């Protein structure tokens, strides 16, 4: 008899037995009322969702018109040559302070003023 039915009927319900504490921990396995352990079951989705790139590739706009299917990227003419006073430096090229040559300063030998006696 359930506790609710027993309460409505006015009879006393015996207390549920307290399961004995297991001697070792039950990590990952829920305890059953009888003191045993149950294994966890893995439930899979019936409609799994696509993730990231797979979703974008499946839902991207499709080309359906013949003129659009045959269309290719625009071909631009090559860039003209740079002027001779310009130099092209790669973005990964860096100059460290230890490797950079020290600037050469030319100091003109100036005549020191004569000391007044």
């Amino acid at each position: 008899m359930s506790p609710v039915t027993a309460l409505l009927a006015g009879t006393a319900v015996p207390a549920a037995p307290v399961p004995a504490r297991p001697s070792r921990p039950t990590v990952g396995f829920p305890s059953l009322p009888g003191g045993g352990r149950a294994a966890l079951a893995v439930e899979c989705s019936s409609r799994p969702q696509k993730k990231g790139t797979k979703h974008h590739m499946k839902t991207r706009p499709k080309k359906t018109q013949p003129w659009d299917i045959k269309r290719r990227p625009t071909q631009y003419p090559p860039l003209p040559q740079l002027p001779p006073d310009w130099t092209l430096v790669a973005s990964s090229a860096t100059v460290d302070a230890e490797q950079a040559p020290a600037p050469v300063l030319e100091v003109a030998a100036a005549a020191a003023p004569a000391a007044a006696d």
Side-chain angles (χ1 to χ4, degrees):
M1 182 183 304
S2 72
V4 175
T5 308
L7 181 66
L8 293 175
T11 59
V13 177
V18 178
R21 186 174 184 138
S23 60
R24 57 185 186 164
T26 58
V27 177
F29 295 100
S31 298
L32 294 176
R37 294 188 300 177
L40 296 176
V42 178
E43 294 184 17
C44 298
S45 173
S46 60
R47 293 181 178 267
Q49 296 180 356
K50 295 191 180 297
K51 296 171 184 67
T53 305
K54 191 173 251 191
H55 169 78
H56 294 305
M57 292 299 288
K58 182 159 180 73
T59 60
R60 68 182 178 85
K62 303 293 191 280
K63 293 181 176 183
T64 57
Q65 299 294 325
W67 64 268
D68 199 16
I69 293 172
K70 292 186 250 179
R71 189 166 48 128
R72 298 289 174 227
T74 306
Q75 297 293 324
Y76 294 103
L79 294 173
Q81 292 294 324
L82 291 174
D85 55 338
W86 287 30
T87 56
L88 183 64
V89 179
S91 61
S92 62
T94 59
V95 178
D96 294 336
E98 296 87 18
Q99 295 175 353
V104 178
L105 299 176
E106 294 184 18
V107 179
D117 287 317

